[in-house]
Amino acid sequence: MKKNSIRIYSIFAFTFLIMSCGIRRQVATEKTIYDTDDPAIWINPNDASKSIVFGTDKNTNGAIYAFDLDGKIIEDKTIRGLKRPNNVDLEYGFKLNDSVKTDVIAFTERENKQIRLFSVPDMKPLDQGGFKVFEDAKIPEGNLPMGIALYKSPVTKKLYAIVGRKTGPKKGYLYQYLLTSERLGVKAKLIRKFGAFSGQKEIEAIAVDDTEGYVYYSDEGACIRKYYAEPEKGDKELACFGGEFFKDDIEGIAIAKYEDRGFLIVSNQQAHTFNIFDLKTNAFVKELNLGTVETDGCDVTTANLGDKFPNGLFVSMNNKRNFFYHDLSKLKLVE
């Protein structure tokens, strides 16, 4: 066999070995037009098998796509004509008035320098066109929102949006907005500025543990940072951990909670893997190859979603303009 043939065979064998080490996806969604970035899972309270995965398509003429559990686009639930939607999150039971509650999705619309709020599943705008954010930013690109996470306080039942941006100061990088419904509509009020920034890269991925009241975010070139999500508990940093386990960018964060244990699933973007951390101790658990490439965002639920995903669902962005679905049991978080 010629040397070149040996080399090509060796490369092929190595590539096959790397791919075979991964956990194969169960579903790949239909492709978006431009550039997928971040998903959020809505659990249908009437029929979990009809739950929806929302995902951003990041472009000047972008969209929030809605997918069913087969990965098919649900066109009448998809929001189009958006100005670079970046990240998306979801919360249940937002109080519109004394007798009406609705589930909501919130997402950043970077080029319009605002966040958006829509009801789910009827997909009606609740924001009169959008809530402007980072209006007092002094540095270039400091007013361009990227990451977002919703927090519903278990203490007060108030709903907050915690928002990150393209760049910002070393202190007060994140802004937290209180979302309230009044007679004239939903309003967003800036409550606090918090969160350290290393000065490296940027901060995009944000996730909140509602029940425990903690917010986690990826300081992409440094570590995963942890703070209280409840504004009244202060702005002290609780932890900065995990940076040594990442090849380069620390990206999307998802929180998987079981009855007796929880996990952070964090994208190790340039390694094309995910790092798992214990939610209580912040300790590294393991690294997983799930077959996605350069994942920005991810989301997870441990709920039974019917016959297709009875053990829960993990959704991750893939750089081929789609999202991958994995049966959560395949990740073997709990044995």
Side-chain angles (χ1 to χ4, degrees):
M1 186 181 288
K2 294 181 180 179
K3 287 184 179 180
N4 284 346
S5 298
I6 294 172
R7 184 183 177 194
I8 292 169
Y9 177 80
S10 297
I11 292 172
F12 174 81
F14 178 74
T15 302
F16 177 79
L17 177 63
I18 292 296
M19 292 179 65
S20 67
C21 291
I23 299 170
R24 182 168 176 77
R25 68 180 186 268
Q26 188 165 331
V27 172
T29 67
E30 293 182 324
K31 291 183 183 294
T32 67
I33 297 174
Y34 302 108
D35 180 19
T36 50
D37 192 89
D38 186 53
I41 304 165
W42 176 70
I43 303 169
N44 189 320
N46 300 314
D47 184 348
S49 69
K50 292 183 170 60
S51 297
I52 298 172
V53 174
F54 294 100
T56 60
D57 193 22
K58 190 172 58 177
N59 189 271
T60 294
N61 187 31
I64 300 294
Y65 278 79
F67 302 95
D68 64 20
L69 295 187
D70 291 316
K72 304 298 183 184
I73 295 168
I74 309 171
E75 189 57 44
D76 65 350
K77 305 294 184 189
T78 293
I79 308 166
R80 297 189 182 275
L82 302 170
K83 298 300 181 185
R84 201 171 181 84
N86 205 133
N87 279 30
V88 60
D89 201 16
L90 187 143
E91 191 55 84
Y92 299 88
F94 176 56
K95 190 174 181 180
L96 292 177
N97 55 50
D98 289 341
S99 59
V100 178
K101 292 182 179 179
T102 183
D103 301 339
V104 293
I105 58 166
F107 55 91
T108 54
E109 194 177 16
R110 195 195 304 182
E111 290 180 10
N112 280 336
K113 305 178 181 66
Q114 63 184 11
I115 60 175
R116 303 297 312 273
L117 188 73
F118 280 68
S119 59
V120 177
D122 54 355
M123 312 313 296
K124 302 296 185 184
L126 301 175
D127 55 15
Q128 296 82 52
F131 305 126
K132 298 299 180 183
V133 291
F134 304 115
E135 292 182 282
D136 60 351
K138 299 295 191 295
I139 59 177
E141 299 188 323
N143 60 352
L144 301 181
M146 292 179 65
I148 189 170
L150 294 179
Y151 168 57
K152 187 177 181 181
S153 169
V155 179
T156 66
K157 307 305 179 186
K158 292 178 179 179
L159 181 65
Y160 300 92
I162 300 172
V163 190
R165 46 184 156 168
K166 184 66 176 173
T167 190
K170 291 193 174 182
K171 291 184 179 180
Y173 196 101
L174 303 181
Y175 280 19
Q176 185 164 353
Y177 296 86
L178 174 65
L179 302 177
T180 56
S181 182
E182 303 171 357
R183 185 174 59 85
L184 297 178
V186 179
K187 305 294 182 184
K189 179 182 179 182
L190 178 61
I191 296 298
R192 67 165 173 164
K193 309 170 186 179
F194 75 100
F197 174 45
S198 66
Q200 306 175 55
K201 299 182 181 292
E202 58 197 24
I203 293 170
E204 180 177 7
I206 310 168
V208 176
D209 181 346
D210 271 1
T211 56
E212 298 299 326
Y214 296 120
V215 55
Y216 300 84
Y217 65 89
S218 294
D219 188 342
E220 292 184 14
C223 63
I224 302 160
R225 298 188 187 271
K226 178 180 179 180
Y227 286 78
Y228 287 115
E230 201 71 45
E232 289 76 13
K233 289 195 172 182
D235 301 339
K236 179 182 177 181
E237 184 168 272
L238 303 175
C240 174
F241 64 95
E244 67 271 27
F245 297 101
F246 292 84
K247 180 178 180 180
D248 199 349
D249 288 358
I250 308 168
E251 278 285 357
I253 303 177
I255 298 174
K257 298 200 75 171
Y258 294 91
E259 193 171 304
D260 57 351
R261 197 174 180 190
F263 301 89
L264 281 177
I265 307 173
V266 186
S267 171
N268 188 2
Q269 190 178 50
Q270 273 67 50
H272 315 300
T273 60
F274 293 88
N275 287 332
I276 314 298
F277 299 86
D278 185 278
L279 193 60
K280 185 176 181 180
T281 66
N282 306 328
F284 177 78
V285 177
K286 61 182 176 180
E287 184 176 11
L288 292 174
N289 176 358
L290 300 181
T292 51
V293 178
E294 293 190 351
T295 294
D296 272 315
C298 53
D299 197 17
V300 67
T301 178
T302 59
N304 180 343
L305 298 186
D307 292 342
K308 293 185 179 68
F309 298 100
N311 307 295
L313 171 65
F314 180 69
V315 180
S316 52
M317 165 264 177
N318 181 52
N319 77 343
K320 299 299 182 183
R321 297 185 288 117
N322 59 3
F323 296 90
F324 284 2
Y325 297 178
H326 283 87
D327 183 303
L328 189 55
S329 66
K330 303 296 185 183
L331 278 62
K332 295 185 179 179
L333 300 179
V334 292
E335 302 293 341

